[in-house]
Amino acid sequence: MGLEPFTAEDPVFVDEDVLRDSHKPEDLIERDRELAEYQAALKPVIKGARPRNIFLYGQTGVGKTVATQMIMDRLRQDQENYDDLDVHVIHVVCKNLNSSYQVAVKLVNEFRGPNNKIPTTGYPPDTVYEFLWEHLKEIDATHAIFVLDEVDAIGNDDDILYELPRANDNGNVPVDETKVGVIGISNKFTFRDNLSARVKDSLCDEEIHFPPYDANQLRNILYQRAEKAFVDDTLSDDVIPLAAAMAGQESGSARQALKLLFKAGDLARGAGDEEVTEEHVRQAEPKVKESQVRNELESLPTQSHLTLYALLALDRQDDLPAKSSDVFEVYEVAANRIDADVKTDRTIRDRLSQLKLKGFLDVEEHNEGPKGGSYYLYEFGDIRPDMVQEVLQDVDRLDELFQKDITSY
Ligand SMILES: Nc1ncnc2c1ncn2[C@@H]1O[C@H](COP(=O)(O)OP(=O)(O)OP(=O)(O)O)[C@@H](O)[C@H]1O
Ligand SMILES: [Mg+2]
């Protein structure tokens, strides 16, 4: 048999893109309180006053980014009604930017044309900040609002979260020329707690929390999107309530709920079924979960990848569960092999605990009796070693490690 013809016929979806992350819903339901707080915090801008700095936090998939985009669109639109206002919004996603320096470079480059970008290394930090202040003076706006989305990527190196909110106070950007405000967005609760005191003081004028959605809220969100995504009457009645209940119980994430619904439809379509049923949602669940875990593993920093690699090597040699000192030994060889910084065994213990917190590892405490003390043994938690290997093999930085026999440690 040859190829089937490509046809636009689709018995399930009218527009599956409506269920994707990139789709902007027309309005944000179930977020009235948060949107009101958010708008109130930005209201001074329209009156020409200094913006308040805002720290927005809440778990993944709860609408932080989409709410921010909507509010900024609205602010840009409404300021048009005021002749004496000129508000610039600079929105950057800090994912993969591991330091304040990298964020500062990215911000500078937001103001520059394609042929004029500065490189991500080389300039002293003060010079990069100078560039930024110069650009702000050049645009000559009344307000500049910096949105730093997924800002937790910078970790403890939070200098930029001091410099930017203080740009007016420190005289780097005269307040009577441009009023500078910062909106920091994070899905890590620990990030705020670990900010240095001076940053907390300057960044957190206003804190807005986006709580997880419950199953009822997710249901409403899904109904709204499904109406445009699916062919009429293809969804059986229990599909949305089930997807909403699953996502509500597990994460409260609208993103996860939308993915479940999409995957259920996709499975029905693939099977040639005319109705999407509860059964499709149940089949979709482990698939969605696995792809989330993969994404999470992929986006870990190099040191965590190396730690996972060490565990994988031990697993392949049947040496799991293992003590952190054994993990460290393999880690050290591997880190040297790819010319990465070799951290201390204490750092690697911290990495191991972080991986445990994310559910990737299981830990068991062992007691050696009253004199022997106790130690921990680590092994993979709810993830398959094969999947860990598949993910790590695709990480460019680790290429060299997979050219050698992984059982040779
Ligand atoms: N109240 C809502 N109504 C409609 N769609 C929503 C709502 N909340 C979230 N979504 C949708 O869920 C998805 C995830 O939302 P968003 O990207 O804003 O999450 P987030 O809080 O920024 O997550 P992360 O911390 O992972 O960046 C998007 O597709 C968004 O359109
Ligand atoms: Mg986001």
Side-chain angles (χ1 to χ4, degrees):
M1 200 175 81
L3 287 172
E4 297 275 331
F6 284 107
T7 64
E9 237 171 81
D10 186 335
V12 175
F13 291 110
V14 181
D15 183 0
E16 62 198 83
D17 288 344
V18 173
L19 299 178
R20 284 187 198 281
D21 229 19
S22 48
H23 175 84
K24 261 200 211 170
E26 270 152 43
D27 51 6
L28 207 58
I29 53 171
E30 305 292 353
R31 278 296 180 229
D32 290 349
R33 179 188 65 78
E34 292 78 7
L35 288 176
E37 264 182 56
Y38 209 158
Q39 278 202 292
L42 287 164
K43 195 165 166 153
V45 174
I46 285 286
K47 297 197 298 180
R50 266 177 80 170
R52 315 198 61 175
N53 298 308
I54 301 172
F55 186 70
L56 193 71
Y57 65 103
Q59 288 169 32
T60 185
V62 295
K64 303 182 297 298
T65 298
V66 68
T68 303
Q69 285 167 341
M70 278 178 174
I71 287 191
M72 291 302 141
D73 285 351
R74 192 57 193 264
L75 184 62
R76 283 194 198 98
Q77 215 179 320
D78 289 352
Q79 60 137 353
E80 301 280 332
N81 302 328
Y82 300 84
D83 289 340
D84 49 354
L85 272 188
D86 179 20
V87 183
H88 270 241
V89 179
I90 303 101
H91 190 139
V92 297
V93 181
C94 304
K95 190 177 185 172
N96 301 329
L97 304 177
N98 299 322
S99 64
S100 279
Y101 183 84
Q102 289 177 6
V103 174
V105 168
K106 174 122 178 172
L107 291 176
V108 166
N109 284 334
E110 287 288 305
F111 291 93
R112 293 182 169 226
N115 299 324
N116 199 17
K117 306 270 188 216
I118 59 170
T120 52
T121 54
Y123 287 104
D126 285 351
T127 311
V128 178
Y129 284 121
E130 271 314 313
F131 284 146
L132 191 55
W133 312 142
E134 283 306 313
H135 285 307
L136 280 172
K137 287 174 197 157
E138 274 161 26
I139 58 167
D140 199 24
T142 56
H143 295 77
I145 299 180
F146 290 93
V147 179
L148 305 180
D149 204 349
E150 305 186 28
V151 69
D152 37 77
I154 65 172
N156 295 329
D157 175 11
D158 57 12
D159 199 45
I160 186 103
L161 295 178
Y162 174 76
E163 291 293 340
L164 271 186
R166 296 246 132 210
N168 285 147
D169 293 332
N170 291 347
N172 291 316
V173 181
V175 70
D176 50 0
E177 287 176 19
T178 303
K179 300 181 171 75
V180 178
V182 178
I183 301 174
I185 306 178
S186 167
N187 62 26
K188 303 225 168 39
F189 290 92
T190 47
F191 179 72
R192 184 195 170 279
D193 298 339
N194 293 336
L195 289 174
S196 55
R198 61 175 202 157
V199 167
K200 265 185 221 168
D201 265 4
S202 23
L203 177 65
C204 307
D205 287 342
E206 195 80 49
E207 293 189 33
I208 304 176
H209 177 219
F210 276 47
Y213 294 111
D214 65 26
N216 283 329
Q217 294 173 313
L218 290 173
R219 220 188 268 202
N220 293 336
I221 292 170
L222 290 184
Y223 280 127
Q224 186 203 37
R225 298 278 267 260
E227 204 171 290
K228 292 188 193 130
F230 288 95
V231 175
D232 283 348
D233 300 326
T234 43
L235 284 186
S236 75
D237 288 347
D238 38 17
V239 163
I240 285 184
L242 181 63
M246 282 175 167
Q249 194 154 52
E250 191 162 307
S251 60
S253 154
R255 182 181 298 122
Q256 191 190 11
L258 287 163
K259 284 196 166 153
L260 271 172
L261 189 60
F262 169 73
K263 192 73 206 170
D266 193 39
L267 288 169
R269 177 173 57 184
D273 297 338
E274 281 180 6
E275 193 178 37
V276 187
T277 64
E278 203 182 310
E279 188 46 36
H280 293 121
V281 182
R282 293 194 193 284
Q283 287 167 10
E285 203 223 16
K287 295 192 165 39
V288 169
K289 198 152 172 200
E290 171 151 340
S291 93
Q292 272 166 348
V293 171
R294 272 176 198 268
N295 286 341
E296 236 184 297
L297 285 174
E298 261 165 36
S299 61
L300 289 171
T302 302
Q303 293 294 334
S304 301
H305 279 154
L306 281 165
T307 309
L308 279 172
Y309 174 82
L311 281 151
L312 183 67
L314 290 166
D315 177 75
R316 298 308 194 212
Q317 293 165 193
D318 275 335
D319 285 333
L320 286 188
K323 289 188 196 182
S324 71
S325 54
D326 296 332
V327 178
F328 180 73
E329 256 177 50
V330 180
Y331 156 83
E332 205 177 13
V333 178
N336 273 318
R337 207 172 268 171
I338 65 161
D339 278 333
D341 280 351
V342 180
K343 304 284 184 187
T344 60
D345 61 348
R346 185 172 169 168
T347 314
I348 297 313
R349 270 208 305 279
D350 288 345
R351 296 281 161 176
L352 288 167
S353 335
Q354 285 168 16
L355 292 168
K356 175 190 180 274
L357 278 178
K358 287 175 181 287
F360 299 145
L361 303 184
D362 280 342
V363 184
E364 202 183 308
E365 187 173 359
H366 266 250
N367 274 309
E368 298 266 88
K371 292 240 172 69
S374 67
Y375 56 89
Y376 293 104
L377 285 176
Y378 296 86
E379 63 186 321
F380 287 117
D382 217 1
I383 48 174
R384 290 179 298 111
D386 283 350
M387 181 177 68
V388 177
Q389 175 149 358
E390 281 161 28
V391 171
L392 294 181
Q393 268 174 337
D394 280 344
V395 176
D396 291 345
R397 191 80 173 79
L398 304 187
D399 271 354
E400 216 164 310
L401 298 178
F402 286 99
Q403 285 162 18
K404 284 213 154 168
D405 179 11
I406 193 166
T407 60
S408 65
Y409 289 91

